[in-house]
């Protein structure tokens, strides 16, 4: 059981940002990544549809005999994590959520901006999270429909992304930004472009480190940590017929 792979899934290539963190923290594990690019983006679909697609992704990973599953997608986590844990009781399932806590703890002057998909920001899970921290900080939800599509097409820099981000962030910059939370696993790949706009001093935080720490805790708790001493392998699958998605995934894994 311990030598089995850990399964990751996302609506597309975004969850690779979480996988990268896992490889760094748990290099001896075997990994299977499933990107559902055929159905990306999830963030503008109905909750029922995202639940259905999440169940299909988990079924795929279970057939690959994974020992644990990381829902490397904020949108799928907010729409489906409770149901997934209810259906698949025998396997640890780890989700991801916007890393608001570490952003609040930085105690910076200015608002905390949460960039995420419209669904993540509209879900109950998110409003519960905001309630915990809103007393002492100004939290601004910034839905970014259309941003995932750039990254799915392998575009992580350049004029198109820059003008999209500038339009989104211009007014908020005038009011003062304390920190930015990347509440979508696709967005860490455009971190540099965000910095170009807001400046290098404003911290940009994502949830991958917290998620992988939680994965590690779950593996230890369930006695599932791989004890072998060599570097594990990574297998990448994608639901899209477009073979380029595998190349884009590999490229994102290496940057
Ligand atoms: N990467 C995903 C997330 O973390 C979802 C993007 C999408 O498909 O809309 O929310």
């Amino acid at each position: 059981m311990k030598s089995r792979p850990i399964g990751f899934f996302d609506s597309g290539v975004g969850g690779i940002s979480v996988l990268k963190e896992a490889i760094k923290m748990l290099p001896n594990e075997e990994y299977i990544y499933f990107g559902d690019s055929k159905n990306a983006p999830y963030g503008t679909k109905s909750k029922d549809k995202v639940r259905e697609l999440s169940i299909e992704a988990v079924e795929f990973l279970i057939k690959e005999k994974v020992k644990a599953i990381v829902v490397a997608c904020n949108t799928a986590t907010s729409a489906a994590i409770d149901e997934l844990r209810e259906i698949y009781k025998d396997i640890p399932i780890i989700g991801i959520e916007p890393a608001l806590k570490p952003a609040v703890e930085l105690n910076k002057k200015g608002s905390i901006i949460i960039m995420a998909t419209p669904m993540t920001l509209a879900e109950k899970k998110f409003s519960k999270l905001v309630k915990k921290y809103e007393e002492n900080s100004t939290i601004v939800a910034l839905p970014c429909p259309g941003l995932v599509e750039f990254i799915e097409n392998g575009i992580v820099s350049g004029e198109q992304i820059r003008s999209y981000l500038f339009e989104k962030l211009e007014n908020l910059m005038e009011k003062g930004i304390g920190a930015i939370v990347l509440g979508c696993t696709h967005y860490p790949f455009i971190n540099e472009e965000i910095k170009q706009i807001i400046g290098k001093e404003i911290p940009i935080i994502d949830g991958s480190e917290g998620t992988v720490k939680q994965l590690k805790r779950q593996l230890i708790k369930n006695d599932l940590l791989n004890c072998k001493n060599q570097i594990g392998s990574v297998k990448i699958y994608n639901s899209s017929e477009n073979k380029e998605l595998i190349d884009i995934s590999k490229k994102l894994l290496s940057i």
Side-chain angles (χ1 to χ4, degrees):
M1 199 64 180
K2 289 182 185 183
S3 59
R4 287 187 180 194
I6 301 167
F8 279 62
F9 82 88
D10 175 48
S11 63
V13 299
I16 297 275
S17 62
V18 191
L19 175 62
K20 266 170 97 163
E21 189 64 35
I23 294 170
K24 237 200 286 169
M25 218 184 282
L26 299 164
N28 300 335
E29 296 290 342
E30 307 287 333
Y31 294 99
I32 292 195
Y33 183 87
F34 174 72
D36 191 11
S37 294
K38 189 174 107 188
N39 295 300
Y42 279 8
T44 45
K45 290 194 165 55
S46 73
K47 192 170 168 176
D48 282 348
K49 186 67 194 170
V50 173
R51 278 186 177 154
E52 184 190 313
L53 294 170
S54 301
I55 291 170
E56 280 172 25
V58 168
E59 287 290 332
F60 175 89
L61 293 171
I62 284 177
K63 281 204 190 91
E64 293 290 316
K65 302 205 169 1
V66 297
K67 62 181 178 183
I69 289 172
V70 176
V71 183
C73 176
N74 292 263
T75 309
T77 300
S78 47
I81 195 97
D82 294 340
E83 195 171 15
L84 292 176
R85 287 184 178 138
E86 189 56 39
I87 303 173
Y88 305 99
K89 288 199 172 71
D90 298 334
I91 184 162
I93 301 182
I94 294 93
I96 186 162
E97 65 176 16
L100 187 51
K101 184 170 183 258
V104 169
E105 284 169 356
L106 289 174
N107 222 352
K108 297 270 180 191
K109 212 169 140 257
S111 315
I112 296 173
I113 313 296
I114 323 265
M115 296 172 66
T117 67
M119 186 182 299
T120 299
L121 300 174
E123 274 307 308
K124 248 188 263 140
K125 216 171 188 311
F126 181 70
S127 32
K128 264 198 202 159
L129 183 68
V130 170
K131 270 209 182 79
K132 272 206 227 165
Y133 301 104
E134 67 188 352
E135 207 176 312
N136 300 315
S137 350
T138 309
I139 298 161
V140 179
L142 184 64
C144 298
L147 195 47
V148 159
E149 285 86 331
F150 287 118
I151 300 138
E152 282 294 306
N153 285 306
I155 304 168
V156 291
S157 60
E159 194 40 48
Q160 278 170 297
I161 289 202
R162 231 165 284 155
S163 56
Y164 180 103
L165 292 172
F166 186 73
E167 206 180 296
K168 284 272 165 199
L169 296 164
E170 189 185 10
N171 287 339
L172 297 164
M173 282 188 321
E174 276 166 24
K175 288 180 199 144
I177 299 177
I180 291 201
V181 175
L182 304 181
C184 169
T185 55
H186 282 73
Y187 303 167
F189 294 114
I190 54 162
N191 204 313
E192 285 308 312
E193 291 292 347
I194 300 172
K195 273 191 198 154
Q196 289 284 331
I197 291 177
I198 60 165
K200 301 225 179 300
E201 302 73 35
I202 298 174
I204 303 174
I205 299 163
D206 71 73
S208 54
E209 195 185 330
T211 300
V212 176
K213 280 186 179 159
Q214 178 61 7
L215 166 66
K216 190 174 177 183
R217 279 194 289 270
Q218 284 293 318
L219 292 176
I220 293 169
K221 188 176 146 210
N222 292 285
D223 197 21
L224 285 173
L225 212 52
N226 198 330
C227 308
K228 70 167 193 203
N229 249 336
Q230 75 222 55
I231 302 292
S233 67
V234 181
K235 273 195 203 148
I236 298 176
Y237 296 93
N238 197 290
S239 60
S240 170
E241 277 166 19
N242 181 358
K243 299 272 174 294
E244 251 183 73
L245 263 316
I246 299 288
D247 296 335
I248 293 172
S249 305
K250 286 183 181 161
K251 202 170 142 205
L252 292 175
L253 192 59
S254 68
I255 55 173

